[in-house]
Amino acid sequence: MSFFPKQPASRQGVVQNVAFGAASAQLPNKFGSETYQVRLAATGACYYVITESASPTAATAANGAYLPGGVIEYVIVSPGETLTVIQASAGGTLSVCEVS
């Protein structure tokens, strides 16, 4: 009998989509009270910053983490934080899924 390792999995929670372009854009809502990880996927290359929602930092190429288009990334966050995003070369949409 052959055993195959299970793939890591997370339960899908709230999904927020934010269109990004030449100006920094912010998620419409802060992360939930029990959110400690998010799944990011963008249609185009972008830079993102995860920050406290009380004083969100605008994303720039100088301070943001680079996310290539079409790549999925899991990031650790804290409840109540938010995300800002800006294009790397052309606009697109960033999908942010809270996972548990």
Side-chain angles (χ1 to χ4, degrees), residues 60-81:
T60 67
N63 71 357
Y66 179 72
L67 179 65
V71 172
I72 295 172
E73 181 168 84
Y74 286 85
V75 180
I76 295 172
V77 299
S78 294
E81 288 182 323

Side-chain angles (χ1 to χ4, degrees), residues 26 49-58 80 82 84:
Q26 183 178 342
V49 173
I50 295 171
T51 185
E52 293 184 19
S53 64
S55 56
T57 302
T82 191
T84 57

Side-chain angles (χ1 to χ4, degrees), residues 20 39-46 66-73 92-95:
F20 59 85
R39 177 185 179 267
L40 307 176
T43 59
C46 61
Y66 179 72
L67 179 65
V71 172
I72 295 172
E73 181 168 84
T93 300
L94 177 65
S95 175

Side-chain angles (χ1 to χ4, degrees), residues 7-57:
Q7 294 298 313
S10 297
R11 184 177 308 273
Q12 178 180 330
V14 174
V15 177
Q16 298 184 66
N17 294 309
V18 60
F20 59 85
S24 183
Q26 183 178 342
L27 284 179
N29 301 299
K30 62 184 181 178
F31 299 137
S33 62
E34 296 185 18
T35 299
Y36 294 94
Q37 187 177 44
V38 293
R39 177 185 179 267
L40 307 176
T43 59
C46 61
Y47 295 95
Y48 68 90
V49 173
I50 295 171
T51 185
E52 293 184 19
S53 64
S55 56
T57 302

